[in-house]
Amino acid sequence: MTPEPARRAAWDAYLVVTVDLLPDLDGDHINYGRVSVDLTSLATRIRLWAPGWGPTGQVLAAAISTALRLHRDGHHNDLARLLRVIAARLFRVASRRSNPARGPAQSG
């Protein structure tokens, strides 16, 4: 079971994606400065907590590096799709429930 601080960190990161980043990317006008700040903050948080999230943390750390590159290169539709996947993984880590099809919500 993931320790409570790591689970809370995953939930906070999930909120950054779903409340801050995705609405900015889904709109007609992208606020590039705000996306940069929020994405950098998210990357820092994910890299800090990834060891506590087991193998899923390793996947999230790799994914956030790709997300930063997509933003830098201006591929914001692809970035939004990747952030939805990241959000789903973060939600799974933050959840107390396990998914019988995929095993426990966390490993390690």
Side-chain angles (χ1 to χ4, degrees), residues 33-104:
R34 182 173 169 171
V35 170
S36 292
V37 168
D38 290 341
L39 194 57
T40 301
S41 171
L42 178 65
T44 300
R45 186 174 308 205
I46 286 175
R47 289 174 178 154
L48 177 69
W49 284 98
W53 297 335
T56 299
Q58 295 171 359
V59 171
L60 287 167
I64 199 65
S65 293
T66 300
L68 289 165
R69 189 178 71 248
L70 288 170
H71 175 59
R72 182 191 67 226
D73 294 345
H75 299 292
H76 291 101
N77 289 332
D78 293 332
L79 173 60
R81 282 192 290 277
L82 178 58
L83 286 174
R84 286 183 187 91
V85 173
I86 289 172
R89 295 270 179 141
L90 288 166
F91 184 85
R92 192 166 157 236
V93 170
S95 174
R96 291 180 185 256
R97 296 181 183 173
S98 63
N99 180 339
R102 295 186 185 216

